[in-house]
Amino acid sequence: MTHRSNRTLRVAGLARVEGEGALRVRTANGRVDDVELDIYEPPRFFEAFLRGRSHREPPDITARICGICPVAYQMSACLAIEDACGVQVPAPVRALRRLLYCGEWISSHALHIHLLHAPDFLGLPDGIAMAAEHRPVVERGLALKKAGNAIMDLVGGRAIHPVNVRVGGFYRAPTRAELRPLAEQLRHALDDALATAAWVSTFDFPDLDVPHDLMALRDTEGYPIDRGVPHVSTGASFPVPAFSEHVVEHQVPHSTALHARLDGEMYLVGPLARYSLNADRLSPAAAGAAADAGLGPVCRNPFRSIVVRAVEVVYAVEEALRLIADYEPPEPAAVEVTARAGVGHGVTEAPRGLLYHRYELDAAGLVVSADIVPPTSQNQSAIEDDVRQLVTSYLDLDDHALVSLCERAIRNYDPCISCSAHFLDFHREDR
Amino acid sequence: MNAVVVGVGNEFRRDDGVGPAVARAVAAHGVRAEVTDGDPVRLMEAWGEADLVVVVDALRCVPATPGRVHRVTLDGAVPSATSSHGFGVPEAVELAEALDRLPRRLVVLGVEVAEVGFGPDLTPAVRAAVPGVVAAVLDELRLGGAL
């Protein structure tokens, strides 16, 4: 096909993304007419589902929205409910939450880097080919993921849908002795994480600098994971309760996920935003890894997000080691959170970016309304824009090459299209 | 023989919750059971070092007979025709093979489903099939000497 003809590119089922999505690109007369990323995501279903539930339930229910980042959902939910009830958890509870969250970052990023994203840079079709051709690297990645899982198992009660988290803290806090073997495993993981950062920095990155505003949390100290205040690359910042005044979601016809705008502009959350707004907050090893990998103080190339994720893994491992060394078991493991009528907001940094929860409770502590804004729906407009830019720049490529470039542009963001159903399907649409 | 039962699916997608429902029922018999979303890596992690793995998953067939159970076994060999674009079980098997992590014996029980829209409950035909699938899983475990 020549670039002068009208083309429609379709990707029915995006490979190597978490969940199900589809992409349609239409070009006409050498111009890109239309880019649609379809996401079948039903946050509204869960919001409806939460109404009338007790204020203790959202952490467990919302964690099941996403088997990929349950801790993120639990943490944003806990913060929002505690905010509504006027409770601030004590420092030891917060530290244990941050440790649990580090486990999720390590596990989620390690999987994406090694099996979902790296194949794009190595010209391989999938993680299976990756495992066959780069087995030692994949084994290292899986060992790293296992270290993250081990944190979630021990602190969260299990790796998938942790059961030990509750509003106010934990059902049971691990003892110092129980955390000791974890430190041993994490010391090995730190070597693996540093090796991973060095390895991904050798990849060949297509040129793309995105102009979008970047939004991430920033905290009084440390890299933002379990709390912070929203900051924007424009220099703006706003308090958490003002989130819905700045971020406005709207429905688009081709997708069940809502598109979001930040003060009317397209914007990005996630590793690029977090790093660009918080590079000065990295731990020594992570800052060293970032410098060695050639990252500057700001990173706006989505293809390089794999490097940022690798640096964040180094940070999360180091931070977990620090939290274990300083660990004082919270006593009691949870503070009492008495229900009252009110509205609460919670934001944390999920591996894929800022995750906002808002709950309104009545006097009996039942949920009157719930609002959840996940990172992937915030990024959707910007992802479509990246695809539009790439297609415009590379119209001369044949369909196959162009489609794979578009898929790469999407995978850069590790989109999580949650609530998808998976089947042993007898009928697959050939791409 | 150490064994694990893995329920694959999403409890908030109607009949896709059949795997998790079976896993929970089996766990009540004191058997190690895991629930996972079908991602190949997480699936492989769920079976870990077990010698015998029983996977229960939802199966979409056209035309469908909701509640009908299909059984596929794998004894240390991979069926050659699995597509690398498949989701979940076939991909997990291929990945595990590349990494020498295949269990000695893998049994997949696929339950034909009717509805997979958003919602928390199984449809009647699939719900009615759960006790039979639980019994079939327990039989597999006895057969493998794990119960």
Side-chain angles (χ1 to χ4, degrees):
Chain A
M1 271 196 185
T2 71
H3 65 274
R4 281 184 300 279
S5 57
N6 297 353
R7 300 157 76 180
T8 300
L9 303 176
R10 273 175 193 281
V11 182
L14 291 162
R16 282 182 283 128
V17 299
E18 297 282 15
E20 300 169 53
L23 172 72
R24 261 192 309 279
V25 179
R26 274 189 291 275
T27 68
N29 308 320
R31 284 209 349 272
V32 181
D33 258 9
D34 199 14
V35 173
E36 290 184 356
L37 175 62
D38 294 3
I39 292 185
Y40 326 115
E41 183 195 31
R44 293 293 170 264
F45 164 72
F46 277 93
E47 287 162 9
F49 196 69
L50 287 160
R51 279 198 285 274
R53 299 287 189 140
S54 143
H55 74 296
R56 299 185 196 283
E57 289 188 85
D60 282 332
I61 295 172
T62 61
R64 293 176 191 208
I65 289 180
C66 184
I68 293 131
C69 50
V71 173
Y73 276 84
Q74 288 179 326
M75 295 297 133
S76 285
C78 284
L79 288 187
I81 300 282
E82 287 153 11
D83 182 44
C85 299
V87 171
Q88 269 216 315
V89 297
V93 168
R94 191 209 149 199
L96 191 55
R97 282 180 172 177
R98 190 168 168 89
L99 174 62
L100 174 63
Y101 219 146
C102 284
E104 181 156 282
W105 272 35
I106 295 163
S107 183
S108 173
H109 279 355
L111 171 62
H112 187 257
I113 290 167
H114 292 88
L115 288 155
L116 305 178
H117 208 185
D120 280 338
F121 296 94
L122 301 167
L124 295 170
D126 53 36
I128 293 157
M130 210 33 231
E133 295 198 27
H134 299 271
R135 187 168 163 179
V137 172
V138 170
E139 294 280 12
R140 187 178 68 201
L142 289 172
L144 201 46
K145 183 174 189 303
K146 205 169 172 177
N149 288 354
I151 298 177
M152 288 200 280
D153 273 338
L154 188 72
V155 181
R158 61 177 187 209
I160 302 167
H161 301 153
V163 289
N164 190 28
V165 172
R166 54 176 292 189
V167 171
F170 293 87
Y171 287 100
R172 181 186 165 276
T175 63
R176 289 182 64 91
E178 283 172 327
L179 290 185
R180 213 164 293 134
L182 211 49
E184 194 52 43
Q185 192 172 5
L186 287 165
R187 271 188 285 275
H188 291 290
L190 186 55
D191 293 336
D192 288 342
L194 288 164
T196 298
W199 171 64
V200 298
S201 71
T202 63
F203 293 167
D204 190 13
F205 302 101
D207 280 329
L208 179 67
D209 250 15
V210 292
H212 319 302
D213 288 346
L214 307 174
M215 178 165 77
L217 298 181
R218 197 169 156 82
D219 199 1
T220 45
E221 54 176 0
Y223 200 76
I225 301 177
D226 60 310
R227 70 170 192 192
V229 174
H231 280 64
V232 189
S233 52
T234 55
S237 73
F238 52 86
V240 176
F243 185 88
S244 57
E245 294 162 33
H246 293 271
V247 172
V248 177
E249 291 181 289
H250 58 279
Q251 193 90 44
V252 290
H254 63 262
S255 175
T256 58
L258 297 162
H259 276 205
R261 287 276 192 281
L262 171 64
D263 294 325
E265 300 293 330
M266 215 179 278
Y267 71 105
L268 266 184
V269 297
L272 292 185
R274 254 188 324 251
Y275 176 85
S276 297
L277 292 163
N278 294 280
D280 61 322
R281 292 293 175 73
L282 289 170
S283 56
D292 292 347
L295 287 178
V298 168
C299 178
R300 285 184 163 274
N301 181 345
F303 289 98
R304 285 189 186 272
S305 65
I306 192 169
V307 181
V308 176
R309 280 187 198 92
V311 166
E312 287 189 334
V313 172
V314 173
Y315 179 85
V317 173
E318 234 189 347
E319 183 67 357
L321 281 165
R322 183 188 70 80
L323 289 162
I324 291 170
D326 298 346
Y327 180 61
E328 291 295 339
E331 189 58 55
V335 292
E336 192 51 48
V337 178
T338 309
R340 66 177 195 192
V343 174
H345 311 262
V347 287
T348 63
E349 284 285 352
R352 288 161 189 76
L354 194 145
L355 170 66
Y356 169 80
H357 283 223
R358 172 189 174 278
Y359 297 99
E360 185 184 348
L361 304 178
D362 66 14
L366 299 182
V367 176
V368 177
S369 69
D371 189 17
I372 296 170
V373 186
T376 295
S377 64
Q378 296 181 74
N379 283 346
Q380 195 175 339
S381 301
I383 296 174
E384 288 177 354
D385 195 65
D386 286 6
V387 170
R388 200 174 295 118
Q389 268 200 62
L390 280 166
V391 173
T392 305
S393 311
Y394 293 95
L395 265 177
D396 289 340
L397 291 178
D398 64 47
D399 283 9
H400 179 77
L402 196 51
V403 163
S404 67
L405 191 63
C406 292
E407 287 194 278
R408 290 187 61 181
I410 294 166
R411 273 194 294 269
N412 284 336
Y413 294 106
D414 187 12
C416 176
I417 301 151
S418 52
C419 322
S420 56
H422 294 295
F423 302 93
L424 297 166
D425 209 332
F426 281 179
H427 295 260
R428 295 203 62 83
E429 197 172 339
D430 278 328
R431 300 208 313 231
Chain B
M1 194 186 258
N2 85 56
V4 64
V5 177
V6 185
V8 177
N10 182 338
E11 295 162 283
F12 293 104
R13 291 289 299 263
R14 305 298 313 268
D15 288 342
D16 195 30
V18 68
V22 171
R24 262 198 312 276
V26 170
H29 291 262
V31 176
R32 187 161 85 85
E34 302 271 353
V35 169
T36 178
D37 62 354
D39 166 81
V41 177
R42 286 186 283 269
L43 193 51
M44 189 177 74
E45 282 177 339
W47 70 54
E49 310 282 302
D51 300 309
L52 168 63
V53 175
V54 183
V55 173
V56 183
D57 200 353
L59 190 62
R60 235 182 341 195
C61 294
V62 183
T65 313
R68 186 164 57 176
V69 182
H70 298 254
R71 177 174 177 275
V72 179
T73 58
L74 188 71
D75 286 300
V78 181
S80 57
T82 49
S83 144
S84 65
H85 288 297
F87 246 118
V89 181
E91 217 170 4
V93 167
E94 282 185 275
L95 185 65
E97 191 197 24
L99 299 166
D100 289 335
R101 294 189 189 193
L102 272 180
R104 289 219 324 250
R105 184 173 171 77
L106 175 68
V107 180
V108 180
L109 298 174
V111 184
E112 285 193 40
V113 296
E115 295 226 10
V116 291
F118 297 112
D121 298 313
L122 302 176
T123 57
V126 172
R127 192 173 51 241
V130 168
V133 182
V134 171
V137 170
L138 296 174
D139 282 347
E140 296 291 347
L141 297 173
R142 281 188 207 100
L143 199 69
L147 203 64

